């Protein structure tokens, strides 16, 4: 069956008792579907098929074949390692590895082109660091079938990413405390966690959690259809991304599974509607749990428990995995990203109410979120490398730490300046250089407009850039720029094809700007010059040794900006100041540079004052979660309450990229939304 390929599958265990954190609650409704519900479900399934969410038989067969080949590769690899370590012929003969799948493929909700999450389990003497990321990596790198091979040993869950015959694979490895892996290895047994480290536990739990989810839902097939629908919705609305602090695949599966438990007889159309109804009213940080949290004193791994673990008390949207050791799958979610998620839940709830009243169709639910129309200011992270392979490594490192920038801004502004990370990456098709960019929307927390108050995050961005600079696999050509743009300065290529703008899609430079923006022209440039400036410094290094060059690799050679000012539509001054020396340059190096990060004060419109825009109302609850807390029944009983919809802000004009900045020397948000990017003191 698609999604359940396993080299060996153990005997299923009985389903654990559901209790705690909502898991013990009886279903909210045992109602059977009506004729209208069945009709809406048929319409929904037809929409998903027409949207291309199901792969064909040929691609499914290819996946099975690729998995068989990888299974054979890891078996041969373990035997070779066994020979190299000098074990007996009998040990070599018995040497074995097994391959399990997890994630969307194991759950049976993958679509065309989706990656395959796979776990290789090997014997105790075949280690992750020495063998998996060295000898197996070397073997894969020599195969013609393997492309885009990328080891990520330092990830929270160490992984080897690659494509095999064009299919993307995420391969994990777990070395268990057995000398020989039996052909009937049962991954569901708790004994597999004996004498292993936490990274191995996290690797093993991908499969264990997927199996538990399928055991705990009332109807696996209805669960799959509902999850496929809501994953697609989350991707369209820009809230599907664990790495950027939104919700990943496991979290979405757990949320859908919980709704299936609450409405065990419902069909997909009913479950989609109830999903939004329940979670728009869920009292976070109360945890979502499918079953009781198990403790095993013999194994001794920490489980999610805010009563005992201080770190767990800071989780704002806990969604707990059902397999021991139970963990929070959504620990990456921050106050800012919770706001974004809840805003989209409210949107989904409004549309589903209209669908139930026959006032809207399913296509309305899946309208893409207009990210570049929702904010007036954006932080932009531009990434450049010499080739695609280097870009893949460099981008992976930076993307995995973008969440930290959001958290640091929240921390340093006490949650009053909020960030909305866009999980999509963008690249200018007119530029041949290997590059991409990530965007983050900026907004002031609702109700936090205090006259005269300023937020200085210069040190915040400096700290983030310093952490990025600690990348151990950095190579010449890898570069980074963090800067800001106004909504009208967003480059045209990031917009979806067919999106209508209020100006013709022509590059806007100094002589073409409105008279009111003419003094801002010194930060207007083409995207090609952005890459040129990022690259230019490498030609000025000369004979500098690698170490001294590496220490200043983000020093910009942008020309000094002349002082100027401009009056914006919201009466905020935009003042350019002289560029400052990069704080990331090496003091002992003879190579130095300046950073010019589009410096000046920039007006940020208070979104809360704009018509047609409902800003999120999620507040940070000062009362920390305790394990026994569950959503109040009185809250769920109000699930018929209607909420206002979410509407995008009006679109506006866009220009070419602003002048590249190697390092943001500082950002300040004042009471009228001014942002200053400068290395100078705040006035």
């Amino acid at each position: 069956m698609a999604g359940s390929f396993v080299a060996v599958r153990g005997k299923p265990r009985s389903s654990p008792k559901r209790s705690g954190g909502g898991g013990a609650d009886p279903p909210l409704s045992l109602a059977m579907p009506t004729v209208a519900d069945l009709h809406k479900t048929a319409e929904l399934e037809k929409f998903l098929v027409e949207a291309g969410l199901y792969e064909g038989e040929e691609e499914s067969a290819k996946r099975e074949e690729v998995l068989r080949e990888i299974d054979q590769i890891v078996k041969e690899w373990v035997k070779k390692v066994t020979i190299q370590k000098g074990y007996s012929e009998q040990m070599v003969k018995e040497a074995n590895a097994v391959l399990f799948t997890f994630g969307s493929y194991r759950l049976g909700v993958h679509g065309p082109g989706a990656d395959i999450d796979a776990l290789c389990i090997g014997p105790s003497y075949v280690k992750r660091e020495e063998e998996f990321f060295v000898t197996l990596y070397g073997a894969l790198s020599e195969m013609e079938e393997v492309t885009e091979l990328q080891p990520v040993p330092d990830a929270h869950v160490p992984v080897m990413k690659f494509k095999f015959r064009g299919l993307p694979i995420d391969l994990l490895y777990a070395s268990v405390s057995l000398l020989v892996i039996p052909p009937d290895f049962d991954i569901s047994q708790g004994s597999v966690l004996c004498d292993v480290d936490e990274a191995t536990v996290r690797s093993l739990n991908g499969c264990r959690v997927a199996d538990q989810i399928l055991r705990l839902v009332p109807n696996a097939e209805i669960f799959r259809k509902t999850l496929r629908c809501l994953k697609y919705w989350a991707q369209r609305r820009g809230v599907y991304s664990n790495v950027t602090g939104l919700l990943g695949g496991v979290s979405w599966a757990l949320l859908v599974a919980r709704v299936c438990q609450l409405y065990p007889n419902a069909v997909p159309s009913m479950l989609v509607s109830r999903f939004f109804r329940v979670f728009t009213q869920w009292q976070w940080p109360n945890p979502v749990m499918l079953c009781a949290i198990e403790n095993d004193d013999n194994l001794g791994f920490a489980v999610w428990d805010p009563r005992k673990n201080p770190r767990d008390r800071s989780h704002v949207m806990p969604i707990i995995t059902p397999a021991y050791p139970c963990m929070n799958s959504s620990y990456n979610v921050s106050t800012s990203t919770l706001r974004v998620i809840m805003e989209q839940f409210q949107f989904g709830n409004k549309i589903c109410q209209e669908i139930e009243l026959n006032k809207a169709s399913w296509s309305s639910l899946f309208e893409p979120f207009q990210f570049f129309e929702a904010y007036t200011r954006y932080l932009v992270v531009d990434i450049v490398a010499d080739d695609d392979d280097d870009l893949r490594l460099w981008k992976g490192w930076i993307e995995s730490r973008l969440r930290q920038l959001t958290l640091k801004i929240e921390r340093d502004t006490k949650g009053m300046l909020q960030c909305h990370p866009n999980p999509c990456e963008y690249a200018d098709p007119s530029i041949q250089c290997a590059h991409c960019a990530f965007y983050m929307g900026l907004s002031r927390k609702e109700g936090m407009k205090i006259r005269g108050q300023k937020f200085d995050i210069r040190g915040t961005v400096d700290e983030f850039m310093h952490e990025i600079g600690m990348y151990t696999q950095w190579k010449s050509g890898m570069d980074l720029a963090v800067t800001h743009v106004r909504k009208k300065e967003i480059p045209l290529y990031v917009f979806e094809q067919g999106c209508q703008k209020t100006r013709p899609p022509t590059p806007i430079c100094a002589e073409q700007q409105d008279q009111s923006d003419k003094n801002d022209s010194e930060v207007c440039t083409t995207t090609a010059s952005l890459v040129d400036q990022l690259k230019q410094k490498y030609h000025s290094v000369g004979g500098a040794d690698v170490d001294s060059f590496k220490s200043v690799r983000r020093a910009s050679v942008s020309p000094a900006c002349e002082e100027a000012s401009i009056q914006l539509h919201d009466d905020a001054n935009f003042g350019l100041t002289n560029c400052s020396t990069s704080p990331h340059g090496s003091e002992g190096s003879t190579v130095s540079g300046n950073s010019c990060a589009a410096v000046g004060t920039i007006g940020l419109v208070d979104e809360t004052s704009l018509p047609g825009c409902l800003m999120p109302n999620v507040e940070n609850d000062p009362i920390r979660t305790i394990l026994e807390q569950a959503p109040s029944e009185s809250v769920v009983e109000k699930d018929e309450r209607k909420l206002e919809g979410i509407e995008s802000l009006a679109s506006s004009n866009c220009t070419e990229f602003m002048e590249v900045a190697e390092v943001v020397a500082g950002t300040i948000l004042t009471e009228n939304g001014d942002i200053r990017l400068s290395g100078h003191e705040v006035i």
Side-chain angles (χ1 to χ4, degrees), residues 133-151:
F133 282 115
V134 178
T135 57
L136 181 58
Y137 171 81
L140 292 173
S141 65
E142 296 176 356
M143 296 181 181
E144 292 184 359
E145 302 91 338
V146 176
T147 58
E148 300 183 16
L149 182 60
Q150 177 186 356

Side-chain angles (χ1 to χ4, degrees), residues 506-646:
T506 55
I508 303 175
C509 289
E511 64 276 9
Q512 296 173 294
Q513 293 188 20
D514 289 342
Q515 182 67 24
S516 62
D517 289 337
K518 65 180 180 179
N519 292 328
D520 196 19
S521 62
E522 291 171 271
V523 295
C524 175
T525 185
T526 64
T527 47
S529 66
L530 181 148
V531 177
D532 291 342
Q533 292 182 37
L534 284 174
K535 295 284 187 178
Q536 182 179 350
K537 65 179 171 300
Y538 298 113
H539 300 294
S540 64
V541 174
D545 58 48
V546 174
D547 289 339
S548 68
F549 169 71
K550 182 175 179 179
S551 68
V552 295
R553 60 184 178 270
R554 285 176 301 282
S556 173
V557 295
S558 303
C561 301
E562 299 296 332
E563 292 192 12
S565 63
I566 182 171
Q567 199 74 8
L568 295 185
H569 60 87
D570 53 357
D571 298 325
N573 290 327
F574 179 84
L576 299 180
T577 62
N578 290 328
C579 300
S580 62
T581 301
S582 169
H584 298 277
S586 172
E587 292 181 2
S589 172
T590 58
V591 183
S592 62
N594 295 326
S595 76
C596 179
V599 292
T601 56
I602 302 178
L604 176 61
V605 173
D606 185 5
E607 282 89 352
T608 61
S609 65
L610 294 176
C613 176
L614 175 64
M615 295 304 293
N617 56 6
V618 178
E619 299 293 339
N620 190 17
D621 191 346
I623 302 176
R624 299 301 185 183
T625 311
I626 60 174
L627 193 60
E628 289 83 358
Q629 281 182 322
S632 169
E633 289 186 12
S634 62
V635 173
V636 183
E637 289 172 357
K638 298 177 183 178
D639 59 0
E640 299 296 337
R641 176 171 55 89
K642 294 190 176 183
L643 301 173
E644 281 189 70
I646 313 299

